[in-house]
Amino acid sequence: MRREASILHLDLDAFFAAVEQRDKPSLRGRPVVVGGVGGRGVVATASYEARAYGARSAMSTAEARRRCPPGTAFLGGRFAAYRRTSDVVMALLRELSPLVEPVSIDEAYVDLGAGHGLDLSVDGVTRLAHGLKERIAAATGGVTGSVGIGSSKLMAKIASDLDKPDGLVVVPPGGELRVLHPLPVTRLGGVGPATAERLHQVGVKTVADLAAKSLPDLVALAGRAHGTGLYALARAEDDRPVVAEREAKSISQEETFARDLTDLRVLGRYVESMAARVGSRLRASAYSGRTVTLKLRRYDFTTLTRSQTLPHPTDDPRVIASIAARLLAEAGTQGGLRLLGVGVSGLSLYAQGDLFATDEEPVDDAEEAPGAEVEEAPEPLTAESRWWPGQDVRHDEHGAGWVWGRGLGRVTVRFEGPLTPPGPVRTLAADDPALHPAEPPEWRVSAPAPPTP
DNA sequence: TCTGGGGTCCTAGGACCC
DNA sequence: TCTGGGGTCCTAGGACCC
């Protein structure tokens, strides 16, 4: 813990849904749910309008559909659009201080103490945060964020959560326990359902209850590392530094199938495709790794992993695929698999194999998903399966728009963009040659100015 | 129509070595 | 020949986070 409130935490509000409402004017003020739209999808983000009906992150999309009224938009994610908006926000944070730690696409810590000549008084950081929130809203076309500032990562994160959405809370140094102790223990990072249940069984509901427990009690309850961590957090003791760059530890790819799969040949094609994607991601980041892990989830949701460690690191998709395929054959597919995953860990920056690299191209995965080519695959491609709800499109005659829905050989498109009023809906043939997938729309009136040197 | 996809960190047991 | 402890690596699983 520091003597000054010099750590800032930013959490963008209902981020995916907010970007959708910015880019799709007809959805502003209406319930929007972003996530998996297939039969086994889950909610990634629900807009505040959708939360009012009980839609929540991690809920199955089916459940969210039951809870939300007709007219609610259920959209697949547009990650390129979210990434672009996130990059704009992260750049604004780096204007405050060079020490910025992105936690995820919509969340980051900033060490204001590493900034140049900032006023770190409570009034000073409050003014700074107000200015930051204004600049974020202006630069992102109205996406808001909740800011917390405190003497540690713990307090900054707790503070940003106290007044959502569009909030700003500064915990003055010395006021940590007054804020922390009344809160439920589940607000502490690292207290999930399992730990919360065990804590409740020994009468711990609030952080104050937790602080009354002895260190040996907590270690017995939650293990050595976790127990000592909880003991410290309950006292607002937290000296974790803000870390700008983190090395990746693993790279993986997984997929839940629309229907459970049993056929080893079909699953083998998924293994190859996933290994190819993992291999290209490894090569793109100049990593290679020694341990190949196969993950599978059976029809009854039991999940297991099988792994093998190689003597030397690899980024070769053929090596990854053959190991994963063997692990899959050994594990078996009895009863059917709902999920398959392929990952590589034990990463290092240079592959031994690179010294002897051939000119051979890596297996290319981009063009052929396994489902595209085989009749055993669960969902053969149709004209309408090119389109998914939320997708950006352009029509030669009607202009830019986005896909609302599809079915019966048709696709429904709303023609509007972030800078237009709500636009008209048109239903088109799914194979209309004038309809094309498009890039995410530009939300700013003019292109952003190039960064000044 | 139950339960995504990408990660990180920790624990525990067995193999193996000194 | 027996006993023992410590450290590291590997594998598997689980909790947790966004």
Side-chain angles (χ1 to χ4, degrees), chain A residues 251-257 261 266-282 292-297 315-322 324-325 328 337-344 363-366 368-371:
Chain A
I251 289 181
S252 67
Q253 195 89 36
E254 66 184 54
E255 185 173 336
T256 295
F257 310 120
L261 299 180
V266 175
L267 289 160
R269 279 188 282 269
Y270 277 98
V271 164
E272 276 173 27
S273 159
M274 289 180 191
R277 273 179 285 175
V278 168
S280 16
R281 286 174 59 196
L282 284 168
V292 176
T293 300
L294 175 82
K295 172 177 173 181
L296 49 88
R297 178 122 72 206
D315 60 5
D316 186 336
R318 293 161 301 182
V319 173
I320 300 167
S322 73
L328 172 64
L337 302 185
R338 62 176 289 137
L339 170 145
L340 198 62
V342 173
V344 171
V363 176
D364 187 21
D365 63 286
E368 37 178 1

Side-chain angles (χ1 to χ4, degrees), chain A residues 11 41 44 60 87 97 103 107 130 184 188 238 244 260 265 267 297-298 326 335 352 360 377 381:
Chain A
D11 195 341
S60 76
D87 287 346
S97 163
V103 178
E107 208 186 307
H130 272 125
L188 297 176
D238 174 24
D260 294 351
R265 290 169 306 163
L267 289 160
R297 178 122 72 206
R298 300 194 188 275
R326 185 177 50 72
Q352 179 86 9
E360 204 164 349
L381 267 195

Side-chain angles (χ1 to χ4, degrees), chain A residues 333-362:
Chain A
T333 67
Q334 302 82 4
L337 302 185
R338 62 176 289 137
L339 170 145
L340 198 62
V342 173
V344 171
S345 58
L347 301 186
S348 52
L349 271 175
Y350 300 101
Q352 179 86 9
D354 282 356
L355 297 172
F356 311 102
T358 65
D359 290 326
E360 204 164 349
E361 284 294 304

Side-chain angles (χ1 to χ4, degrees), chain A residues 100-447:
Chain A
V100 173
E101 177 180 334
V103 178
S104 67
I105 196 167
D106 65 348
E107 208 186 307
Y109 291 99
V110 184
D111 186 339
L112 300 174
H116 188 67
L118 298 177
D119 173 2
L120 297 180
S121 68
V122 169
D123 284 351
V125 296
T126 303
R127 278 193 301 273
L128 174 145
H130 272 125
L132 172 66
K133 283 159 60 74
E134 282 172 21
R135 290 195 295 281
I136 288 173
T140 60
V143 175
T144 64
S146 295
V147 172
I149 300 179
S151 53
S152 63
K153 279 182 157 180
L154 167 71
M155 293 315 303
K157 167 114 179 158
I158 291 280
S160 71
D161 204 38
L162 286 175
D163 184 27
K164 285 184 175 189
D166 201 14
L168 167 53
V169 174
V170 179
V171 177
E176 289 86 1
L177 295 185
R178 184 177 44 78
V179 170
L180 204 53
H181 276 188
L183 297 175
V185 272
T186 49
R187 298 281 278 276
L188 297 176
V191 180
T195 307
E197 173 57 28
R198 260 175 281 165
L199 288 171
H200 280 189
Q201 277 172 4
V202 296
V204 172
K205 292 219 162 52
T206 67
V207 180
D209 299 336
L210 186 65
K213 290 289 175 190
S214 73
L215 179 57
D217 279 356
L218 292 182
V219 168
L221 192 107
R224 214 170 79 89
H226 202 187
T228 53
L230 290 176
Y231 185 83
L233 290 187
R235 287 158 180 72
E237 288 164 8
D238 174 24
D239 57 4
R240 292 170 297 169
V242 177
V243 179
E245 301 288 343
R246 289 210 131 93
E247 289 278 283
K249 300 274 170 57
S250 68
I251 289 181
S252 67
Q253 195 89 36
E254 66 184 54
E255 185 173 336
T256 295
F257 310 120
R259 290 199 303 268
D260 294 351
L261 299 180
T262 314
D263 189 327
L264 257 184
R265 290 169 306 163
V266 175
L267 289 160
R269 279 188 282 269
Y270 277 98
V271 164
E272 276 173 27
S273 159
M274 289 180 191
R277 273 179 285 175
V278 168
S280 16
R281 286 174 59 196
L282 284 168
R283 288 180 181 181
S285 49
Y287 278 118
S288 54
R290 285 183 58 214
T291 303
V292 176
T293 300
L294 175 82
K295 172 177 173 181
L296 49 88
R297 178 122 72 206
R298 300 194 188 275
Y299 65 99
D300 59 359
F301 218 74
T302 56
T303 303
L304 53 88
T305 60
R306 292 292 179 266
S307 63
Q308 185 190 336
T309 299
L310 302 165
H312 303 291
T314 186
D315 60 5
D316 186 336
R318 293 161 301 182
V319 173
I320 300 167
S322 73
I323 293 172
R326 185 177 50 72
L327 295 171
L328 172 64
E330 288 167 6
T333 67
Q334 302 82 4
L337 302 185
R338 62 176 289 137
L339 170 145
L340 198 62
V342 173
V344 171
S345 58
L347 301 186
S348 52
L349 271 175
Y350 300 101
Q352 179 86 9
D354 282 356
L355 297 172
F356 311 102
T358 65
D359 290 326
E360 204 164 349
E361 284 294 304
V363 176
D364 187 21
D365 63 286
E367 304 304 322
E368 37 178 1
E373 57 196 49
V374 285
E375 54 186 77
E376 295 102 319
E379 286 186 16
L381 267 195
T382 62
E384 70 186 51
S385 70
R386 294 168 64 204
W387 314 112
W388 46 270
Q391 182 181 15
D392 294 306
V393 293
R394 170 166 290 279
H395 190 274
D396 293 340
E397 184 183 340
H398 305 302
W402 57 278
V403 172
W404 172 266
R406 69 179 205 207
L408 303 175
R410 286 190 268 272
V411 55
T412 303
V413 177
R414 190 181 277 275
F415 289 97
E416 63 181 6
L419 303 174
T420 75
V425 171
R426 289 202 162 79
T427 295
L428 309 162
D431 58 358
D432 186 335
L435 188 64
H436 318 282
E439 294 295 305
E442 184 55 58
W443 71 85
R444 286 167 283 209
V445 177
S446 58

